Amino acid sequence: MKKIDIFKKLRSSGLRPTKQRVEIAKFLFERDKTFHFTIESLDKFLAKKTTFKFALATIYNTVHAFKKAGHLSEVDVRGKKTYFDTNITNHHHFYDNETSELIDIDASEVVIQKIPKAPNGKKIKNIEVFINLKN
Amino acid sequence: MKKIDIFKKLRSSGLRPTKQRVEIAKFLFERDKTFHFTIESLDKFLAKKTTFKFALATIYNTVHAFKKAGHLSEVDVRGKKTYFDTNITNHHHFYDNETSELIDIDASEVVIQKIPKAPNGKKIKNIEVFINLKN
DNA sequence: TTTTACTTTAGAATTATTATAAACTAGTTT
DNA sequence: AAACTAGTTTATAATAATTCTAAAGTAAAA
């Protein structure tokens, strides 16, 4: 993804392309594979990669802005920290408890044959399959 | 579940049947349906139901002791609070985002036809299906 | 009944996250 | 290009959930 695309992505989401947002967006979206992270890990990655500093609050703000704009999704993982995912398509996850690592599973790789119907008055919003791994 | 069973349950898990643990165990396990709760909600329920006080730390300790002993399971729910479940069988959940409520789905009600194989060196520990609900 | 090891408790500490308010900056207007 | 305006970053404070700590209490063993 080119710089100009980053700018477009931000603009189209009503986000001003500030120095920090561009840097975070480049780090998150200029890659081939999907990327999973927590705010803490993102902060560390950015500290290594770039010269200028990011306030933690800025990282929180920016990541949530991206999430709100639909550029990131949030993943349900047991634990205290919130995990984010650059893969915003409908998909599932492996979770490796030993390494606390998430691995994407393409939606086509999981076929569900039978599912209960939603309780009265409710509809199914989405189905998440979470496969816990062990060694 | 009778009081004597509660005692046995605690004993067999290496837990001394103290006043607090017995009271919490009775509240959690003397019921027909499975029960979902957070520490905060359990604290409120106990405050209503019983006369003596429970330190929050005791509730945390006791719930974690029950979990460690296999009497409770923890549920992956996005958000800050940790959810627990008195249903320790292999099963799935509906999650109602409007009410923050969990509803059990029996394992037999979900049939998965296709699943990817675990990454090299890893094995599948368990599969959790999480169905998000909307109105 | 004395002892010992485990528990409870209140409060402090920690961790993740969100709020705040001042300083700053991008984009627009002049 | 200078001035303006609205959105942004920052450091720090506040909040929320959870864990830690050390003293006081209690169950079970001796």
Side-chain angles (χ1 to χ4, degrees):
Chain A
M1 182 174 263
K2 286 154 206 155
K3 192 164 189 176
I4 203 154
D5 294 323
I6 295 282
F7 271 65
K8 272 185 193 163
K9 187 169 221 168
L10 293 173
R11 273 279 149 60
S12 67
S13 320
L15 298 174
R16 279 191 190 171
T18 61
K19 191 172 65 164
Q20 288 80 353
R21 284 180 183 159
V22 169
E23 207 59 34
I24 294 175
K26 280 169 72 183
F27 181 75
L28 292 178
F29 305 122
E30 282 183 348
R31 46 178 81 230
D32 298 325
K33 290 183 185 169
T34 58
F35 182 58
H36 299 100
F37 63 96
T38 63
I39 299 291
E40 190 197 13
S41 70
L42 179 56
D43 183 42
K44 281 181 188 164
F45 283 128
L46 289 171
K48 271 187 205 162
K49 196 179 180 245
T50 63
T51 53
F52 56 93
K53 276 201 168 182
F54 293 81
L56 248 193
T58 300
I59 301 179
Y60 274 99
N61 287 342
T62 303
V63 166
H64 281 114
F66 284 154
K67 190 197 152 193
K68 200 174 174 187
H71 299 315
L72 289 175
S73 63
E74 202 178 320
V75 186
D76 292 328
V77 181
R78 169 160 42 233
K80 286 171 222 157
K81 287 177 198 159
T82 303
Y83 281 72
F84 295 91
D85 189 344
T86 57
N87 183 350
I88 53 169
T89 66
N90 191 28
H91 68 288
H92 308 291
H93 292 99
F94 282 120
Y95 182 64
D96 187 339
N97 220 311
E98 317 288 329
T99 62
S100 300
E101 196 189 357
L102 281 171
I103 301 166
D104 274 2
I105 300 173
D106 196 82
S108 66
E109 294 198 70
V110 174
V111 178
I112 297 172
Q113 198 173 43
K114 186 185 169 193
I115 210 85
K117 46 170 147 330
N120 51 337
K122 302 287 175 179
K123 286 180 182 171
I124 290 176
K125 189 170 139 202
N126 74 316
I127 299 174
E128 293 177 48
V129 176
F130 202 79
I131 305 181
N132 286 292
L133 297 175
K134 62 181 175 185
N135 285 340
Chain B
M1 182 175 265
K2 286 155 205 154
K3 193 165 189 177
I4 202 155
D5 294 323
I6 294 282
F7 271 66
K8 274 186 193 165
K9 186 169 222 166
L10 293 173
R11 274 280 148 61
S12 68
S13 321
L15 299 174
R16 278 190 190 170
T18 61
K19 190 172 68 165
Q20 288 82 351
R21 286 180 180 157
V22 169
E23 207 57 34
I24 294 175
K26 280 167 72 181
F27 182 75
L28 292 178
F29 305 121
E30 281 183 348
R31 46 179 79 230
D32 297 325
K33 289 183 187 171
T34 59
F35 182 57
H36 298 101
F37 63 95
T38 64
I39 299 291
E40 190 196 13
S41 72
L42 179 56
D43 183 42
K44 282 181 187 162
F45 282 127
L46 289 171
K48 270 187 205 162
K49 195 180 180 244
T50 64
T51 53
F52 56 94
K53 275 200 170 185
F54 293 80
L56 248 194
T58 300
I59 300 179
Y60 274 98
N61 288 342
T62 304
V63 166
H64 281 115
F66 284 153
K67 189 197 151 193
K68 199 173 172 187
H71 299 314
L72 290 174
S73 63
E74 202 177 322
V75 186
D76 292 328
V77 181
R78 171 161 40 232
K80 287 172 223 157
K81 286 177 199 161
T82 304
Y83 281 72
F84 295 90
D85 188 345
T86 58
N87 183 350
I88 52 168
T89 66
N90 191 28
H91 68 291
H92 308 290
H93 292 100
F94 282 120
Y95 181 64
D96 187 338
N97 220 313
E98 318 288 330
T99 62
S100 301
E101 197 188 357
L102 281 170
I103 301 166
D104 273 1
I105 300 173
D106 196 82
S108 66
E109 292 198 71
V110 174
V111 177
I112 298 173
Q113 198 173 43
K114 185 185 169 191
I115 210 86
K117 47 169 144 341
N120 50 338
K122 301 286 176 181
K123 286 181 182 170
I124 290 175
K125 190 170 140 201
N126 74 317
I127 299 175
E128 293 177 48
V129 176
F130 202 79
I131 305 181
N132 287 293
L133 297 174
K134 61 182 175 185
N135 285 339

